[in-house]
């Protein structure tokens, strides 16, 4: 029964994650509910090992239809990889508890700003070019990459929001670029988890297949319906993240 439920959860996680990030919002609670006695690091490592395949597939699918700005995004992905690895190391020596109460407040600010700016992310008008875009993208990569390794919830949504707000991308292009960076940060985290034996590989393979199927469907929907659809899903995912992280921080 756990295999069936986890496979369905991974399918849904891949669908949501491919559109705007936030797949961990589905998958991580499902893993913790199904295996309450397992080490948290093992569950998190298994989730990353499964979800990275869906993220990679989404990156490839988007790249066929969306003009990803590779000259800026590849260095940013490398920066995200480094930031995530350092963040994963940092959480082994510094507590991340302070972020639990801060995160829902930051997400609430992101949501209110997005709702207030009706035209935010509806038009693709990049603000930077050349070296300036590379530097700005790398700063976003290393900052959110560190956050992903250190704490994690909402990483994809933060990438999307910052690409829209700071770089001037529309939501569709921001989501496509976010997939590439999120893939890099996931690989860094997997490397650390795997080195410490915190991945159930036999379980992750099945979850990865389901995650890829969900990712294919989510990417198809995003490309078919465009920026307005992605923006709507972004608002739903961020709202759900606020409720989940707020409950964990203040009520649990």
């Amino acid at each position: 029964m756990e295999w069936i439920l986890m496979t369905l959860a991974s399918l849904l996680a891949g669908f949501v994650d491919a559109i705007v990030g936030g797949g961990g919002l589905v998958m991580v609670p499902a893993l913790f509910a199904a295996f309450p006695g397992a080490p948290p690091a093992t569950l998190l490592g298994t989730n990353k090992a499964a979800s990275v395949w869906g993220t990679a597939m989404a990156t490839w699918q988007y790249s066929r239809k969306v003009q990803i700005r590779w000259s800026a995004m590849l260095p940013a992905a490398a920066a995200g990889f480094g930031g995530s690895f350092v963040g994963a190391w940092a959480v082994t020596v510094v507590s991340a508890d302070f972020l639990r109460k801060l995160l829902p407040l930051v997400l609430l600010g992101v949501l209110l700003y997005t709702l207030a700016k009706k035209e935010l992310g509806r038009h693709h008008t990049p603000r930077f070019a050349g070296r300036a875009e590379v530097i700005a993208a790398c700063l976003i990569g290393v900052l959110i990459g560190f956050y992903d390794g250190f704490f994690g919830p909402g990483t994809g949504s933060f990438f999307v929001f910052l690409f829209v707000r700071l770089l001037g991308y529309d939501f569709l292009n921001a989501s496509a670029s976010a997939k590439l960076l999120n893939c890099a940060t996931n690989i860094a985290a997997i490397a650390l988890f795997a080195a410490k034996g915190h991945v159930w590989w036999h379980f992750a393979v099945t979850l990865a297949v389901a995650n890829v199927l969900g990712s294919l469907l989510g990417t198809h929907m995003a490309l078919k319906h465009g920026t307005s659809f992605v923006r709507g899903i972004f608002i739903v995912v961020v709202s759900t993240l606020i409720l989940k992280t707020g409950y964990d921080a203040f009520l649990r």
Side-chain angles (χ1 to χ4, degrees), residues 21-195:
L25 185 67
V26 177
M27 199 60 205
V28 172
L31 282 166
F32 275 81
F35 306 103
T42 300
L43 299 181
L44 293 173
T46 301
N47 171 60
K48 292 284 190 185
S51 64
V52 70
W53 296 101
T55 306
M57 178 59 71
T59 303
W60 180 68
Q61 287 287 97
Y62 276 120
S63 71
R64 298 171 63 202
K65 302 289 185 179
V66 176
Q67 292 295 317
I68 294 176
R69 297 168 77 86
W70 295 105
S71 60
M73 289 304 124
L74 288 176
F81 180 94
S84 179
F85 199 86
V86 173
W89 169 81
V91 80
T92 65
V93 295
V94 179
S95 174
D97 286 345
F98 71 95
L99 281 177
R100 296 185 188 280
K101 288 184 169 56
L102 181 61
L103 180 59
L105 302 178
V106 173
L107 286 167
L108 181 60
V110 168
L111 176 63
L112 293 176
Y113 188 90
T114 303
L115 291 173
K117 301 287 185 178
K118 301 294 186 184
E119 294 303 308
L120 182 72
R122 293 190 183 277
H123 305 288
H124 189 57
T125 53
R127 291 194 176 92
F128 306 105
R131 182 175 296 180
E133 186 176 30
V134 172
I135 292 172
C138 284
L139 288 175
I140 293 172
V142 74
L143 175 65
I144 304 303
F146 179 87
Y147 168 78
D148 190 28
F150 190 70
F151 194 56
T155 294
S157 298
F158 281 131
F159 272 135
V160 170
F161 178 76
L162 291 176
F163 286 153
V164 169
R165 177 63 186 86
L166 300 181
L167 301 189
Y169 294 2
D170 65 17
F171 271 98
L172 182 61
N173 279 271
S175 185
S177 298
K179 293 296 154 293
L180 176 63
L181 270 68
N182 215 170
C183 191
T185 62
N186 281 344
I187 291 172
I190 291 168
L192 195 66
F193 283 127

